[in-house]
Amino acid sequence: MALTKNRIGSDPGLYNFENKKHRWTVFGAGAFASATMTLTMLLAQIAGLVPRSLANILSDKLATLFPAQIQEFFIQSIGPMGKTLLFYGVLLGQIVAGGLLALFLIWFVPRIENSQMLWRNSFILSVSIWVVTVLIGLPLMGAGFVGADLGQDQVIILLSSFLLFQLYGLALGYFFLKLMPESSEDVSVRRAEDESDEEIGNVPGRRRFILGLTAFFVVALAAGIGVGAFKVKNPGYWVNLGAGYEGDKLKGEITPVDTFYGVSKNVIDPNVNATDWKLEINGMVDKPIAFDYASISKLPAVTRTHTLTCISNPVGGQLIGNGEWKGTPLKDILAQVGVKSGAKKLVFTCADGYTDSITLDKAQDPNTLLVWEMDGVPLPQAHGFPVRALIPDIYGMKNAKWIRSITLINTEYEGYWQQEGWDNLAIIKTESTITSLQADEDLRSGEPVTVHGFAFAGARGIKKVEVSSDGGKTWQEARIKEAINQNSWQLWQFDWTPVGAGKTVTLTVRATDGTGAPQLKDNAAPFPSGSSGYHSVNVHII
Ligand SMILES: Nc1nc2c(c(=O)[nH]1)N[C@H]1C(S)=C(S)[C@@H](COP(=O)(O)O)O[C@H]1N2
Ligand SMILES: [Mo]
């Protein structure tokens, strides 16, 4: 006889756990309590009440424990899924941990005399796990002592995690009372005397309650994750392929916003509220300044096309897009704050905890912008609302989104991806891609086709694009369309008449950048400095 109201000596305790039989019930109460907390956490995040949660911080940290090559393998193979799966794993782990903590509690306090004692112990447990999380968990997750490295998020994360753990404690007490075979004193006394545990455990209402609750949490958590994925237009995916491709066809010179590729380290991107947001420019400056949304969007603005591409983009890949952005040159803001002599780098710190740096030289480039509009609309959440950076000639990685501060420093700096071994200069390599032909497409012998594509060499521009239809023995020049802007890709066309029905032909493209340097021929994987090699497509002549 165990969990039921039971007479032990003369003291009728509410629960006594000396019988180990009901461990599953105890575990279940803890898991349900944790599921309640997890669901609330997810909803608070989707609603934008909290920018990130401990689950995000933990899954980010876990991801970094994989060697960079393995991370790269996951990005290339299951790109959109890798980080999402990891995050789900953390949520599941959080629910299991809630169950284990309930077992820990009854191991520690094997007899609970009355409901006051139950609530008191749940409270002590929830405060203790918060204290342990803050003092030990956060530093282990790389968030610093008491979350010191969480920047502006420190207070909200400490507070929200405290409240969430309290919710766990309350829910634990509730589910204990609900799931124990009986909580009403009279009934349980009688049952303890008259019936076996099995019969009590089989009370039909209890089984229905457990099944119903399990179904509720499965559905609600799945819905929460689903809504989160939709609401943050970049579906929270690690990588959202886009590049203005439809199938393999490039849609146009300017990539529509809804097909613009997206890359973020987050499963759920930060939902920044423009009214509380501010951007601080600080560090080695004469007059630190903070902009709010209204004041930054009133600064003198320029509109520029600028191609963004990810350092993870494989040869011929879709992590590239050309946007029309509106914002202000960073150098004008630097002139306003006054850069102290000796400053070497600028560090961007973002609402999702992401950081990266650029050199002061790059920051002074007239084409380095802080932007708040993309293709005529306010910067979409997925692309960094309210403000992101655009850095000419440098891979997307350093084009920080959701920026909250820009700090001038006189040392080297390694940002989020550099700590994983990615290149800290990240200069865009010259690339050229065939976009109008599908792999293994059939083309009629003797019928002329126009092959299309783009070429991009960062700020260096494109001097020449050539196409080969004989495996690189001979090359013919393609026509290049003039760039809209120095930092935008260039479209090219090549007229070609396939001949010889039955043959398979490989079309290959290569470009020469504005300085006369040829595109690198040797294949390189994206890690650590960006991919290289020629893009080619096989077609069948019929
Ligand atoms: N704050 C923040 N900025 C970020 C990232 C991020 O995860 N967090 N990802 C970077 C990477 S790797 C790339 S390629 C670009 C992608 O920008 P896009 O999603 O607007 O295309 O954003 C960069 N800026
Ligand atoms: Mo990227």
Side-chain angles (χ1 to χ4, degrees), residues 83-245:
K83 255 286 175 92
T84 313
L85 287 177
L86 188 59
F87 182 67
Y88 294 167
V90 167
L91 294 188
L92 197 67
Q94 187 163 299
I95 292 171
V96 171
L100 296 176
L101 278 166
L103 288 173
F104 174 75
L105 178 69
I106 60 141
W107 172 71
F108 217 67
V109 190
R111 214 164 78 189
I112 293 176
E113 309 291 339
N114 49 42
S115 54
Q116 281 93 315
M117 185 175 171
L118 173 64
W119 291 116
R120 193 170 63 239
N121 280 300
S122 304
F123 178 71
I124 293 172
L125 177 71
S126 57
V127 172
S128 313
I129 51 181
W130 183 75
V131 170
V132 170
T133 302
V134 166
L135 294 184
I136 301 171
L138 284 177
L140 285 181
M141 292 191 266
F145 182 65
V146 202
D149 297 346
L150 296 172
Q152 288 179 33
D153 288 336
Q154 186 184 10
V155 173
I156 181 86
I157 285 184
L158 292 180
L159 189 74
S160 60
S161 61
F162 182 80
L163 293 176
L164 286 167
F165 286 148
Q166 291 316 303
L167 179 64
Y168 167 75
L170 285 175
L172 182 63
Y174 171 78
F175 287 120
F176 251 107
L177 291 175
K178 206 73 191 165
L179 292 178
M180 286 311 147
E182 289 303 330
S183 55
S184 142
E185 206 167 298
D186 297 341
V187 179
S188 50
V189 170
R190 185 162 40 76
R191 294 206 166 194
E193 286 161 357
D194 303 347
E195 297 174 31
S196 73
D197 280 339
E198 282 71 18
E199 280 163 316
I200 292 166
N202 280 340
V203 172
R206 182 169 164 270
R207 176 156 293 180
R208 224 180 302 127
F209 180 73
I210 293 176
L211 286 176
L213 207 61
T214 308
F216 168 77
F217 278 122
V218 169
V219 171
L221 282 168
I225 289 166
V227 170
F230 276 108
K231 204 182 153 195
V232 281
K233 210 197 57 124
N234 166 357
Y237 287 177
W238 172 300
V239 171
N240 180 19
L241 296 180
Y245 283 75

Side-chain angles (χ1 to χ4, degrees), residues 261 263 309-312 396-397 417:
Y261 89 95
V263 174
T309 183
C310 182
I311 195 165
S312 285
M397 181 170 69
W417 287 116

Side-chain angles (χ1 to χ4, degrees), residues 260-266 308-311 325 350 352 354 382-383 388 396-397 399-402 417:
F260 205 97
Y261 89 95
V263 174
S264 105
K265 71 169 183 66
N266 316 300
L308 208 59
T309 183
C310 182
I311 195 165
W325 315 82
C350 310
D352 56 346
Y354 183 89
H383 299 292
R388 80 171 305 162
M397 181 170 69
N399 292 241
K401 305 192 270 193
W402 312 290
W417 287 116

Side-chain angles (χ1 to χ4, degrees), residues 302 304 306 328-334 346 358-370 390-394 458-460 485-487:
V302 294
R304 304 238 168 96
H306 184 119
T328 198
L330 180 56
K331 72 172 179 43
D332 295 350
I333 294 180
L334 294 180
L346 284 80
I358 56 171
T359 62
L360 183 57
D361 271 0
K362 267 290 164 207
Q364 301 284 19
D365 184 318
N367 284 316
T368 295
L369 306 179
L370 292 184
L390 290 180
I391 324 290
D393 222 33
I394 303 279
R460 305 181 301 278
N485 184 56
Q486 191 195 359
N487 293 296

